[in-house]
Amino acid sequence: MFNYFKRVLKVIIQSKIQLLPPKKNNILIFDKVGSNLITILLNKLDERIQPSILSVRGEEINIFILLNCLLRFNISKKSYLRQNIKYINPKIIITFIDNNLYFHQLSKFYPNIKFIFIQNGWRSYYHDIFEKFKNMKNPKLQNKVDIMLVFGNSIGELYNKYVKGNIHVIGSIKNNFTPIKKNKKRKKKKIILYVSQWIDGTIKIKDRIYDNQSYSYPCDNFVIPILIKFALKENYNFYILTRSQLKSKTEIEEKKYYKDNFGNQLEFFDRSKFKNSYEIIDTIDIITGIDSTLLYESLSRNLKTAFFSIRSNLLNLHGYEFGWPDKYLNKGEFWTNIANQEYIYKILYFLHNSKLDNLIELYKERDSKQLIVYDEANKNLFKILKRLIK
């Protein structure tokens, strides 16, 4: 008990303190992460909308609510969140963190509130929401989200197995906000881009702790030397697209990792002249990587995209195969789940020699819209929100 109170006190000390009770509001955003995007969406719908935001990671602590929990002899995180919701009394609760298990279980406490999630990234099995669902008894009796806004039908169908609610396919809202230039206006640079999935810190998968050397390096070490050789042979410029915040301390560490392992001559794409990653990939000839969300967003933009989804093969981790949870073959024209040099070269030469119109037809044949759609300017999402917020 002493250790528990010690942890609570540590959170309070490190958090921004709010003394007054939270204000009543019809719309509550659950989790500060991604709240800026949801706020932008709501303001575009109606600029008068000013949603409340509930911090769930200890960024802010409301002392009034905390004391209320203390008087109830329950200062657990779940109790604190529920008391916040009770005081705000919203009609709609929306989150950008679709893989928060507790969010899926909140509706049983508030049958008159509409719960909505927006998928924020590509999902996998391990170290993600579906591993948690799989370990639950009768998950669909415990989980309910009124409206689930997902990338594509494949992930929607999987969510539907574990969560009660309505599925709507909207694609990636961040990707949708960036318009796609018409094919003729695209000025392609003869560049092969490798999308970094460097991780800062550690993650736990299947009772094993992974750091960057054990999680990302095995894939990077297999793929990057092949990309460098191909680029030299076919006269491409090869760049790494870092994932850390631009010019941050972590980006310095990320670049050091690549230079230490793959040579000081390695170059990194200059992101400073672009608003976001989508503007960058629209200018690139071939976009490559392992299993990042950006690769699937690139696919939805009908760009030349190579998926070297070999993490499942090298690390024996289910759910990292191309197109999961859909079931694709282990290799195809623009993807491979198998760590095989010949397959990777074959994919690169296929994309190198392909005309974009033919590639777009192939994406249709491979049913890429089952995985992720592109909804220009989030038109479908606005229609859904407009019906809800009257």
Side-chain angles (χ1 to χ4, degrees), residues 12 190 226 234:
I12 294 172
K190 200 171 182 186
I226 297 173
E234 299 301 331

Side-chain angles (χ1 to χ4, degrees), residues 62-234:
N62 188 294
I63 297 299
F64 177 88
I65 295 294
L66 192 63
L67 290 173
N68 189 281
C69 293
L70 191 60
L71 290 171
R72 295 169 180 268
F73 301 100
N74 188 347
I75 57 171
S76 68
K77 181 177 179 179
K78 290 180 179 180
S79 174
Y80 173 79
L81 295 176
R82 291 202 298 268
Q83 287 302 313
N84 264 286
I85 293 169
K86 179 182 176 181
Y87 270 85
I88 295 169
N89 193 26
K91 294 180 180 178
I92 294 171
I93 299 179
I94 185 168
T95 188
F96 193 53
I97 312 302
D98 61 296
N99 54 349
N100 182 315
L101 181 62
Y102 189 54
F103 183 81
H104 293 257
Q105 299 173 350
L106 269 173
S107 64
K108 61 187 174 187
F109 300 105
Y110 311 99
N112 296 322
I113 297 176
K114 291 282 185 185
F115 284 80
I116 305 167
F117 77 57
I118 300 173
Q119 184 180 348
N120 73 78
W122 194 255
R123 303 268 70 91
S124 59
Y125 178 75
Y126 289 115
H127 192 60
D128 215 325
I129 189 75
F130 296 104
E131 182 182 15
K132 296 172 185 175
F133 286 154
K134 200 78 173 179
N135 293 326
M136 293 176 69
K137 188 176 180 180
N138 299 320
K140 207 160 183 178
L141 295 178
Q142 301 179 55
N143 303 315
K144 181 191 173 187
V145 177
D146 296 275
I147 295 178
M148 295 175 271
L149 303 167
V150 298
F151 282 7
N153 281 318
S154 296
I155 198 69
E157 288 167 8
L158 187 60
Y159 261 123
N160 195 45
K161 288 183 179 180
Y162 301 105
V163 185
K164 186 178 179 182
N166 295 312
I167 303 289
H168 296 273
V169 172
I170 63 163
S172 163
I173 64 168
K174 291 191 289 185
N175 183 36
N176 295 340
F177 269 134
T178 303
I180 300 174
K181 293 178 182 178
K182 299 297 181 183
N183 293 346
K184 292 179 181 179
K185 292 183 180 179
R186 287 181 185 164
K187 293 181 180 179
K188 295 293 183 185
K189 297 175 183 177
K190 200 171 182 186
I191 290 172
I192 292 179
L193 194 71
Y194 183 72
V195 179
S196 171
Q197 285 182 279
W198 180 84
I199 59 170
D200 180 24
T202 60
I203 56 175
K204 186 177 181 181
I205 305 175
K206 289 174 69 174
D207 297 321
R208 177 182 171 183
I209 303 298
Y210 287 86
D211 60 12
N212 194 65
Q213 285 297 130
S214 55
Y215 181 78
S216 296
Y217 178 74
C219 301
D220 294 337
N221 190 47
F222 195 91
V223 172
I224 289 175
I226 297 173
L227 295 176
I228 291 172
K229 287 179 183 178
F230 178 83
L232 284 170
K233 185 177 180 182
E234 299 301 331

Side-chain angles (χ1 to χ4, degrees), residues 22 49 77 231 291 301:
I49 297 175
K77 181 177 179 179
D291 46 37
R301 299 176 79 83

Side-chain angles (χ1 to χ4, degrees), residues 203-310:
I203 56 175
K204 186 177 181 181
I205 305 175
K206 289 174 69 174
D207 297 321
R208 177 182 171 183
I209 303 298
Y210 287 86
D211 60 12
N212 194 65
Q213 285 297 130
S214 55
Y215 181 78
S216 296
Y217 178 74
C219 301
D220 294 337
N221 190 47
F222 195 91
V223 172
I224 289 175
I226 297 173
L227 295 176
I228 291 172
K229 287 179 183 178
F230 178 83
L232 284 170
K233 185 177 180 182
E234 299 301 331
N235 198 29
Y236 280 87
N237 291 312
F238 175 68
Y239 293 99
I240 303 286
L241 182 67
T242 55
R243 70 179 301 184
S244 305
Q245 185 179 347
L246 188 64
K247 297 180 181 178
S248 64
K249 198 173 182 179
T250 49
E251 191 188 42
I252 293 171
E253 292 175 12
E254 182 178 0
K255 288 181 176 180
K256 184 178 184 302
Y257 156 78
Y258 282 107
K259 286 185 176 292
D260 286 349
N261 286 292
F262 304 103
N264 286 323
Q265 76 281 4
L266 206 62
E267 294 187 71
F268 301 92
F269 194 89
D270 182 6
R271 297 188 287 157
S272 63
K273 299 174 184 177
F274 297 84
K275 290 180 182 177
N276 54 48
S277 298
Y278 312 114
E279 287 190 354
I280 292 171
I281 61 176
D282 277 354
T283 70
I284 304 299
D285 194 35
I286 299 176
I287 299 98
T288 73
I290 307 302
D291 46 37
S292 75
T293 299
L294 186 60
L295 289 181
Y296 288 95
E297 291 167 327
S298 174
L299 182 67
S300 78
R301 299 176 79 83
N302 289 324
L303 302 174
K304 290 186 176 184
T305 312
F307 294 81
F308 306 129
S309 308
I310 60 176

